Coordinates of all heavy atoms in Angstrom, one line a residue:
D167 N -16.6 5.3 17.0 CA -18.1 5.1 17.1 C -18.8 5.5 15.8 O -20.0 5.4 15.7 CB -18.7 6.0 18.2 CG -18.2 5.5 19.6 OD1 -18.0 4.3 19.7 OD2 -18.0 6.3 20.5
K168 N -18.0 6.0 14.8 CA -18.6 6.4 13.5 C -18.9 5.1 12.7 O -18.2 4.1 12.8 CB -17.6 7.3 12.8 CG -17.2 8.6 13.5 CD -18.4 9.5 13.5 CE -18.0 10.8 14.1 NZ -19.1 11.8 14.2
A169 N -20.0 5.2 11.9 CA -20.3 4.1 11.0 C -19.2 4.0 9.9 O -18.9 4.9 9.2 CB -21.7 4.4 10.3
P170 N -18.6 2.8 9.8 CA -17.6 2.6 8.9 C -18.1 2.6 7.4 O -19.1 2.1 7.1 CB -17.0 1.2 9.2 CG -18.1 0.5 9.9 CD -18.9 1.6 10.6
E171 N -17.3 3.3 6.6 CA -17.7 3.4 5.2 C -16.6 2.6 4.3 O -17.0 2.0 3.3 CB -17.8 4.8 4.7 CG -18.9 5.6 5.4 CD -18.9 7.0 5.0 OE1 -18.0 7.5 4.3 OE2 -19.8 7.8 5.5
N172 N -15.4 2.8 4.6 CA -14.3 2.3 3.8 C -13.9 0.9 4.3 O -12.9 0.6 4.8 CB -13.1 3.2 3.8 CG -13.4 4.5 3.3 OD1 -14.1 4.6 2.2 ND2 -13.0 5.6 3.9
I173 N -14.8 -0.1 4.0 CA -14.6 -1.5 4.5 C -13.9 -2.3 3.5 O -13.6 -1.9 2.3 CB -16.0 -2.1 4.8 CG1 -16.9 -2.2 3.6 CG2 -16.7 -1.3 5.9 CD1 -18.2 -2.9 3.8
F174 N -13.5 -3.5 3.9 CA -12.8 -4.5 3.0 C -13.6 -4.6 1.7 O -14.8 -4.7 1.7 CB -12.8 -5.8 3.7 CG -12.0 -6.9 3.0 CD1 -10.7 -7.1 3.2 CD2 -12.6 -7.7 2.0 CE1 -10.0 -8.1 2.5 CE2 -11.9 -8.6 1.3 CZ -10.6 -8.8 1.6
P175 N -12.9 -4.6 0.6 CA -11.4 -4.6 0.4 C -10.8 -3.2 0.1 O -9.7 -3.2 -0.5 CB -11.2 -5.5 -0.8 CG -12.4 -5.2 -1.7 CD -13.5 -4.9 -0.7
L176 N -11.5 -2.1 0.4 CA -10.9 -0.8 0.0 C -9.6 -0.5 0.6 O -8.7 0.0 -0.1 CB -12.0 0.3 0.3 CG -13.3 0.1 -0.4 CD1 -14.2 1.4 -0.2 CD2 -13.2 -0.2 -1.8
P177 N -9.3 -0.7 1.9 CA -8.0 -0.4 2.4 C -6.9 -1.3 1.7 O -5.8 -0.9 1.4 CB -8.1 -0.7 3.9 CG -9.5 -0.6 4.2 CD -10.3 -1.1 3.0
Q178 N -7.3 -2.6 1.5 CA -6.4 -3.5 0.8 C -6.1 -3.1 -0.6 O -5.0 -3.2 -1.1 CB -7.0 -4.9 0.8 CG -6.9 -5.7 2.1 CD -7.7 -5.1 3.3 OE1 -8.8 -4.4 3.0 NE2 -7.3 -5.2 4.5
H179 N -7.2 -2.5 -1.3 CA -6.9 -1.9 -2.6 C -5.9 -0.8 -2.6 O -5.0 -0.7 -3.4 CB -8.2 -1.4 -3.2 CG -9.2 -2.5 -3.7 ND1 -10.4 -2.2 -4.1 CD2 -9.0 -3.8 -3.9 CE1 -11.0 -3.3 -4.6 NE2 -10.1 -4.3 -4.5
D180 N -6.0 0.0 -1.5 CA -5.1 1.2 -1.4 C -3.7 0.7 -1.2 O -2.7 1.2 -1.8 CB -5.5 2.1 -0.3 CG -6.9 2.7 -0.5 OD1 -7.4 2.7 -1.6 OD2 -7.4 3.2 0.5
A181 N -3.5 -0.3 -0.4 CA -2.1 -0.9 -0.1 C -1.6 -1.5 -1.4 O -0.4 -1.3 -1.7 CB -2.2 -1.9 1.0
A182 N -2.4 -2.2 -2.1 CA -1.9 -2.9 -3.3 C -1.6 -1.8 -4.4 O -0.5 -1.9 -5.0 CB -3.0 -3.8 -3.9
A183 N -2.4 -0.8 -4.5 CA -2.1 0.3 -5.4 C -0.8 1.0 -5.1 O -0.1 1.4 -6.0 CB -3.3 1.3 -5.4
A184 N -0.6 1.2 -3.8 CA 0.6 1.9 -3.4 C 1.9 1.1 -3.7 O 2.9 1.6 -4.2 CB 0.6 2.1 -1.8
V185 N 1.9 -0.2 -3.4 CA 3.0 -1.1 -3.8 C 3.2 -1.0 -5.3 O 4.4 -0.9 -5.8 CB 2.8 -2.5 -3.3 CG1 3.9 -3.4 -3.9 CG2 2.8 -2.5 -1.8
A186 N 2.2 -1.1 -6.1 CA 2.3 -1.1 -7.5 C 2.8 0.2 -8.0 O 3.6 0.3 -9.0 CB 0.9 -1.4 -8.2
Y187 N 2.4 1.3 -7.4 CA 2.8 2.7 -7.8 C 4.3 2.8 -7.5 O 5.0 3.4 -8.4 CB 2.0 3.7 -6.9 CG 2.1 5.1 -7.5 CD1 1.2 5.6 -8.4 CD2 3.1 6.0 -7.0 CE1 1.2 6.9 -8.8 CE2 3.1 7.3 -7.5 CZ 2.2 7.8 -8.4 OH 2.3 9.0 -8.8
V188 N 4.8 2.4 -6.4 CA 6.2 2.4 -6.1 C 7.0 1.6 -7.1 O 8.0 2.0 -7.7 CB 6.5 2.0 -4.7 CG1 8.0 1.9 -4.5 CG2 5.9 2.9 -3.7
R189 N 6.4 0.4 -7.4 CA 7.1 -0.4 -8.4 C 7.1 0.2 -9.8 O 8.2 0.1 -10.5 CB 6.4 -1.8 -8.4 CG 7.1 -2.8 -9.3 CD 6.6 -4.2 -8.9 NE 7.3 -4.8 -7.7 CZ 6.6 -5.3 -6.7 NH1 5.3 -5.4 -6.6 NH2 7.4 -5.7 -5.6
S190 N 6.0 0.8 -10.2 CA 6.0 1.4 -11.5 C 6.8 2.7 -11.7 O 7.2 3.1 -12.8 CB 4.5 1.7 -11.9 OG 4.0 2.8 -11.1
H191 N 7.2 3.3 -10.5 CA 8.0 4.5 -10.5 C 9.4 4.2 -10.0 O 10.2 5.1 -9.6 CB 7.4 5.6 -9.6 CG 6.2 6.2 -10.2 ND1 5.0 5.6 -10.2 CD2 6.0 7.4 -10.8 CE1 4.1 6.3 -10.8 NE2 4.6 7.5 -11.1
A192 N 9.8 2.9 -10.1 CA 11.1 2.5 -9.5 C 12.3 3.2 -10.1 O 13.2 3.6 -9.4 CB 11.2 1.0 -9.7
A193 N 12.3 3.3 -11.4 CA 13.4 4.0 -12.1 C 13.5 5.4 -11.7 O 14.6 5.9 -11.4 CB 13.3 3.8 -13.6
Q194 N 12.4 6.1 -11.6 CA 12.3 7.5 -11.3 C 12.8 7.8 -9.9 O 13.5 8.7 -9.6 CB 10.9 8.0 -11.4 CG 10.7 9.5 -10.9 CD 9.2 9.8 -10.9 OE1 8.4 9.2 -11.6 NE2 8.8 10.8 -10.1
W195 N 12.5 6.8 -9.0 CA 12.9 7.0 -7.5 C 14.1 6.2 -7.1 O 14.3 6.0 -5.9 CB 11.7 6.6 -6.7 CG 10.6 7.7 -6.7 CD1 10.7 9.0 -6.9 CD2 9.2 7.4 -6.5 NE1 9.5 9.6 -6.9 CE2 8.5 8.7 -6.6 CE3 8.4 6.3 -6.2 CZ2 7.1 8.8 -6.5 CZ3 7.0 6.4 -6.1 CH2 6.4 7.7 -6.2
H196 N 14.8 5.6 -8.1 CA 16.0 4.8 -7.8 C 15.7 3.7 -6.8 O 16.4 3.6 -5.8 CB 17.2 5.7 -7.4 CG 17.7 6.7 -8.4 ND1 18.7 6.3 -9.3 CD2 17.3 7.9 -8.8 CE1 18.9 7.3 -10.1 NE2 18.1 8.3 -9.9
T197 N 14.6 3.0 -7.1 CA 14.2 1.9 -6.2 C 14.4 0.6 -6.9 O 14.1 0.5 -8.1 CB 12.7 2.1 -5.9 OG1 12.5 3.3 -5.1 CG2 12.1 1.0 -5.1
D198 N 14.7 -0.4 -6.2 CA 14.8 -1.8 -6.7 C 13.4 -2.3 -6.7 O 12.8 -2.5 -5.6 CB 15.7 -2.6 -5.8 CG 15.9 -4.0 -6.3 OD1 15.1 -4.5 -7.2 OD2 16.9 -4.7 -6.0
P199 N 12.8 -2.6 -7.9 CA 11.4 -3.0 -7.9 C 11.2 -4.4 -7.3 O 10.0 -4.8 -7.1 CB 11.1 -3.0 -9.4 CG 12.4 -3.2 -10.1 CD 13.4 -2.5 -9.2
D200 N 12.3 -5.2 -7.1 CA 12.1 -6.5 -6.5 C 12.5 -6.5 -5.0 O 12.6 -7.6 -4.4 CB 13.1 -7.5 -7.2 CG 12.7 -7.6 -8.7 OD1 11.5 -7.7 -9.0 OD2 13.6 -7.6 -9.6
R201 N 12.6 -5.3 -4.4 CA 12.9 -5.2 -3.0 C 11.9 -4.2 -2.3 O 12.4 -3.2 -1.7 CB 14.3 -4.9 -2.7 CG 15.3 -6.0 -3.3 CD 16.7 -5.6 -3.0 NE 17.0 -5.7 -1.5 CZ 18.1 -5.2 -0.9 NH1 19.0 -4.6 -1.7 NH2 18.3 -5.4 0.4
I202 N 10.7 -4.4 -2.5 CA 9.7 -3.4 -1.9 C 9.0 -4.1 -0.8 O 8.2 -5.1 -1.0 CB 8.6 -3.0 -3.0 CG1 9.4 -2.3 -4.1 CG2 7.6 -2.1 -2.3 CD1 8.5 -1.9 -5.3
A203 N 9.2 -3.7 0.4 CA 8.6 -4.3 1.6 C 7.4 -3.5 2.0 O 7.3 -2.3 1.7 CB 9.6 -4.3 2.8
I204 N 6.4 -4.1 2.7 CA 5.3 -3.4 3.3 C 5.4 -3.5 4.8 O 5.7 -4.6 5.3 CB 4.0 -3.9 2.7 CG1 2.8 -2.9 3.2 CG2 3.7 -5.3 3.1 CD1 1.6 -3.1 2.4
M205 N 5.2 -2.4 5.5 CA 5.3 -2.3 7.0 C 4.0 -1.8 7.5 O 3.4 -0.9 7.0 CB 6.5 -1.4 7.4 CG 6.6 -1.2 8.9 SD 7.9 0.1 9.3 CE 9.4 -0.8 8.8
G206 N 3.6 -2.4 8.6 CA 2.3 -2.0 9.2 C 2.3 -2.1 10.7 O 3.0 -3.0 11.3
F207 N 1.6 -1.2 11.4 CA 1.5 -1.1 12.8 C 0.1 -1.4 13.2 O -0.9 -0.7 12.7 CB 1.9 0.3 13.3 CG 3.3 0.6 13.0 CD1 3.7 1.1 11.8 CD2 4.3 0.5 14.0 CE1 5.0 1.4 11.5 CE2 5.6 0.8 13.8 CZ 6.0 1.3 12.5
S208 N -0.1 -2.3 14.2 CA -1.5 -2.6 14.7 C -2.5 -2.9 13.6 O -2.2 -3.9 12.8 CB -1.9 -1.4 15.5 OG -3.1 -1.7 16.3
A209 N -3.5 -2.1 13.4 CA -4.4 -2.4 12.3 C -3.7 -2.2 10.9 O -4.0 -2.9 10.0 CB -5.7 -1.5 12.3
G210 N -2.8 -1.3 10.9 CA -1.9 -1.2 9.7 C -1.1 -2.4 9.5 O -0.8 -2.8 8.3
G211 N -0.8 -3.1 10.6 CA -0.1 -4.4 10.5 C -1.0 -5.4 9.9 O -0.6 -6.3 9.1
H212 N -2.3 -5.4 10.2 CA -3.3 -6.3 9.5 C -3.4 -6.0 8.1 O -3.4 -6.9 7.2 CB -4.7 -6.1 10.2 CG -5.7 -7.0 9.6 ND1 -6.4 -6.7 8.4 CD2 -6.2 -8.2 10.0 CE1 -7.2 -7.7 8.1 NE2 -7.1 -8.6 9.1
L213 N -3.4 -4.7 7.7 CA -3.4 -4.3 6.3 C -2.2 -4.8 5.5 O -2.3 -5.5 4.5 CB -3.5 -2.8 6.2 CG -3.5 -2.2 4.7 CD1 -4.6 -2.8 3.9 CD2 -3.6 -0.7 4.8
A214 N -1.0 -4.6 6.1 CA 0.2 -5.1 5.5 C 0.2 -6.7 5.4 O 0.6 -7.2 4.4 CB 1.5 -4.6 6.3

């Protein structure tokens, strides 16, 4: 019932920034930069 403040595209910006952050830190975290999946549940599924 609260008035929404963080509306589109702010959540999408956050998800995009997170994927990019993982990709840019791939060497540090021993991550394959070409195998980064996004997973979401319910509204988080809409975000993903």
Side-chain angles (χ1 to χ4, degrees):
D167 297 327
K168 299 289 183 181
E171 295 176 356
N172 296 316
I173 62 174
F174 183 92
L176 300 189
Q178 284 67 27
H179 283 172
D180 296 347
V185 170
Y187 194 90
V188 172
R189 185 163 280 131
S190 66
H191 290 74
Q194 173 186 339
W195 288 331
H196 293 268
T197 295
D198 187 336
D200 297 318
R201 298 182 69 193
I202 301 173
I204 190 163
M205 174 185 292
F207 297 80
S208 192
H212 182 277
L213 179 55

